[in-house]
Amino acid sequence: MGTLQNQQLFHRHDDDHHHIQTQQQTSHDQHQLDAGALFVLQSKGTWVHCGYHLTTSIVAPALLSLPYAFALLGWFAGIMSLIAGAFVTFYSYNLLSLVLEHDAQLGRRHLRFRDMAHDILGPKWGKYVVGPIQFAVCYGAVVGAILLGGESLKTIYLLLNSSGTLKLYNFVIIFGGFMLLLAQLPSFHSLRHINLISLFLCLAYSASATAGSIYIGRTSKGPKKDYSLEGNTEDRLFGIFNAIAIVATTFGNGIIPETQATLAPPVKGKMFKGLCICYTVVSVTFFSVAISGYWAFGNQAQGQILSNFIVDGRPLLPEWFIIITNAFVFLQIAAVGVVYLQPTNEVLEKTLGDAKSKQFSTRNVIPRVISRSISVAIATTIAAMIPFFGDVNALIGAFGFLPLDFVLPVIFFNVTFKPSKRSFTFWLNLTLALVFGLLCVIGSVAAVRQIILDAKTYKLFANV
C-alpha cells in the first residue's frame, strides 16, 4: 500500500513538474515572440476552435467547382480523385501536426510555416521558397474570395433587378469594404465565433446546391445528361490536369502551422481532433455537391455550379432559393477571406508592430488599421481589375497548394522522424512527394496554357 502511495506521489510530482515546465516554456516563448506572433497568432484556442478554423480554410465556396472538375474527369476518375484528395490531405495535415508537436515538446514550437521550413530544411528554404509560395497562395485566396463575393452580390442584384446597370466591379468594391471591416479583428483566435457561423453556412449552401441540382436533374428544365469527355485528345489531357489542380486547390489549406499556433499549450492530440471535425464536414459537402452537380448537368457543368441554376438570365429554380443560396456563399466567403488574410496580417504586425507595447495601444492600433486597410484595398483592386482571376488562381493552386499541402508535409516528417528506409511509411511518403511534385509541374503548365488560351477574352474591369 505504501509503495502504491509513493508511486502516486511520484507520478503527481512528475505531472506537476511537466506542467511547470510547460508554463515556463510558454512564459519564455511570450518574451521571445515578435509582434506578429504575439498579437496575430495568439495561442489561446481549444481543439474545437481549431476545427472551426480548419473547416473555414478548407470547406469554402471553391467546392462548388467540383462538378466542373468531374466534367473534365468523368465519373470514375472524378470520384477517385476526390477520395484520394481527402485521404492524402488528411494524412499530410496530420503528419505536419505531428512534426509541430514533436518540435514543441523539444522546446521549439513553430508558429509559422516558414519557421518550420527554416528549422527543418534550412534558412534559405524558409525565406526564399516556403514563405513566398505561402504568401502567394494565401493572398491569391483573398483576392479570389473578394471576386467570388462580388459575383454572388451581382447575382442577387440581377435577380432582384434584371435591368440593373451596376457592373461587377461595383459589387467587388462593396464586398471589399465588408472585408476591410472584418480584417480589423485583431487575431486569428478572435475569428473563432465567425468561423463557427462559417461552418454552418458552408453546410447550408452545400445542401442548397445539392438539392437544387437534384431538383433540376429530375425535371425537364436541365440540359440533356451527357457524361462524355469533350474536346480532342490534347484538350482532354490538359483538362485532366486542370481538374486535378481544381481538386487539390479545393482541399488546399496552406496555413496548418498558423492554425495549430492558435492552440493553447500543450498542443498534443488537439490538431487531430480538429481535423476530424473538418473532414466530417468535408465528406458531407464535397461528395454531395460534386456527385449531384455532375449527375444533373453532366459535361455542361460550369466552373461554379450555381451558374447552372440560371440559363440566359432565366432561373431554373425559385428566385428566393437562388438568392438565399448566394447569400450563404457571400457570407461564408468573407470568413474564408479573413482567415487567409492572417499570414499577411502577421507579417505586417511583425514589421510595423511593437511587441513591448500593449496590443491595443495607440502605437500598435494605428499601424494595424492602416496596413490592413491598404492590404485589403490592394486585393479588392486586383479582384475588380482582373475578373478572370480564376485562371490565375488555378496557377497559384497548382504551384502553391500542391507543394505546401501534398509534398512538404511528407518531406518534413521523413527528415524529422527519419523512418527506416525499409518501412512502409518512408516509401509511402517518398512516393507521395514524387507524384505530387510531378503533378505540381504539370498542373502549373496546364494552368499557364489555360491563361494563354483565355488571354484573348481578357479585359480589365470586365463585367463578366
Side-chain angles (χ1 to χ4, degrees):
M1 184 71 178
T3 305
L4 180 61
Q5 285 178 329
N6 287 338
Q7 286 178 338
Q8 289 174 333
L9 284 169
F10 174 78
H11 286 305
R12 195 177 304 150
H13 173 76
D14 193 49
D15 289 342
D16 289 343
H17 179 67
H18 175 72
H19 182 65
I20 290 167
Q21 274 189 321
T22 302
Q23 285 183 322
Q24 287 174 339
Q25 180 64 41
T26 305
S27 174
H28 174 72
D29 287 346
Q30 292 290 99
H31 290 300
Q32 298 297 318
L33 294 178
D34 55 68
L38 190 62
F39 299 147
V40 178
L41 303 176
Q42 293 179 346
S43 303
K44 293 182 177 180
T46 66
W47 65 270
V48 177
H49 298 149
C50 183
Y52 302 159
H53 298 321
L54 287 167
T55 303
T56 298
S57 60
I58 297 175
V59 190
L63 71 91
L64 298 173
S65 63
L66 288 174
Y68 174 69
F70 270 45
L72 298 173
L73 292 168
W75 274 118
F76 180 76
I79 291 173
M80 286 299 103
S81 67
L82 214 53
I83 293 172
F87 275 106
V88 173
T89 51
F90 184 86
Y91 175 71
S92 296
Y93 297 155
N94 194 45
L95 291 189
L96 210 54
S97 175
L98 291 173
V99 173
L100 287 164
E101 287 179 8
H102 173 76
D103 288 343
Q105 288 172 338
L106 296 177
R108 303 193 311 269
R109 186 176 182 192
H110 300 303
L111 304 180
R112 294 169 277 227
F113 217 136
R114 63 186 185 277
D115 293 344
M116 274 189 88
H118 179 283
D119 191 48
I120 297 169
L121 300 178
K124 290 183 179 178
W125 277 90
K127 189 174 183 180
Y128 299 112
V129 180
V130 174
I133 287 175
Q134 186 194 30
F135 292 128
V137 166
C138 292
Y139 202 69
V142 173
V143 175
I146 294 172
L147 178 58
L148 185 55
E151 288 173 349
S152 295
L153 275 178
K154 183 189 171 190
T155 300
I156 294 170
Y157 169 75
L158 290 177
L159 284 170
L160 294 173
N161 180 15
S162 58
S163 58
T165 56
L166 290 178
K167 309 296 184 185
L168 175 61
Y169 61 80
N170 297 124
F171 299 103
V172 168
I173 292 168
I174 292 168
F175 187 84
F178 180 47
M179 275 278 294
L180 191 145
L181 295 174
L182 288 177
Q184 305 309 327
L185 287 163
S187 68
F188 200 162
H189 178 65
S190 65
L191 302 178
R192 62 195 183 282
H193 301 305
I194 287 177
N195 289 342
L196 170 60
I197 296 169
S198 164
L199 189 154
F200 289 111
L201 287 169
C202 69
L203 289 170
Y205 66 67
S206 296
S208 298
T210 302
S213 295
I214 293 171
Y215 173 80
I216 293 170
R218 295 186 64 181
T219 65
S220 58
K221 294 182 179 180
K224 184 180 178 182
K225 295 182 180 63
D226 181 0
Y227 304 113
S228 62
L229 300 179
E230 293 187 316
N232 57 35
T233 305
E234 182 189 339
D235 289 337
R236 288 184 186 183
L237 185 62
F238 278 102
I240 289 169
F241 296 133
N242 270 332
I244 291 170
I246 289 169
V247 173
T249 305
T250 308
F251 279 103
N253 180 285
I255 51 173
I256 289 291
E258 287 79 3
T259 305
Q260 188 151 329
T262 65
L263 287 167
V267 298
K268 190 170 178 62
K270 293 179 180 177
M271 193 69 169
F272 180 77
K273 293 179 183 177
L275 281 168
C276 288
I277 291 177
C278 173
Y279 274 78
T280 300
V281 180
V282 163
S283 60
V284 169
T285 55
F286 282 34
F287 286 88
S288 61
V289 170
I291 292 171
S292 64
Y294 185 51
W295 170 78
F297 302 104
N299 56 23
Q300 299 303 306
Q302 296 188 34
Q304 211 249 45
I305 198 62
L306 299 186
S307 301
N308 282 98
F309 293 177
I310 302 173
V311 177
D312 298 327
R314 181 177 58 86
L316 304 182
L317 293 163
E319 285 187 4
W320 62 265
F321 183 86
I322 300 176
I323 288 170
I324 290 174
T325 303
N326 276 279
F328 290 150
V329 172
F330 163 79
L331 291 170
Q332 202 238 356
I333 198 66
V336 174
V338 177
V339 164
Y340 278 104
L341 201 58
Q342 296 310 304
T344 305
N345 289 348
E346 180 268 314
V347 169
L348 291 171
E349 202 99 352
K350 179 181 178 181
T351 307
L352 304 172
D354 180 8
K356 295 177 183 177
S357 301
K358 291 184 178 179
Q359 183 177 10
F360 297 106
S361 64
T362 305
R363 165 65 184 83
N364 283 320
V365 168
I366 292 175
R368 180 184 304 136
V369 171
I370 293 172
S371 62
R372 292 186 183 190
S373 299
I374 292 172
S375 170
V376 174
I378 292 170
T380 304
T381 303
I382 295 170
M385 282 178 62
I386 312 174
F388 41 83
F389 191 75
D391 282 0
V392 180
N393 242 359
L395 176 61
I396 293 172
F399 184 72
F401 278 125
L402 278 167
L404 287 179
D405 296 329
F406 294 82
V407 180
L408 281 177
V410 294
I411 292 174
F412 284 173
F413 184 87
N414 277 10
V415 172
T416 301
F417 291 102
K418 297 180 175 59
S420 167
K421 291 183 179 179
R422 296 180 179 180
S423 68
F424 174 74
T425 301
F426 176 85
W427 287 105
L428 173 63
N429 290 351
L430 184 62
T431 302
L432 289 175
L434 292 173
V435 168
F436 286 100
L438 182 63
L439 286 175
C440 169
V441 175
I442 296 171
S444 298
V445 171
V448 169
R449 174 181 177 270
Q450 194 61 44
I451 290 172
I452 293 169
L453 288 176
D454 292 345
K456 57 182 177 291
T457 63
Y458 289 170
K459 184 183 175 186
L460 294 181
F461 296 101
N463 185 37
V464 295

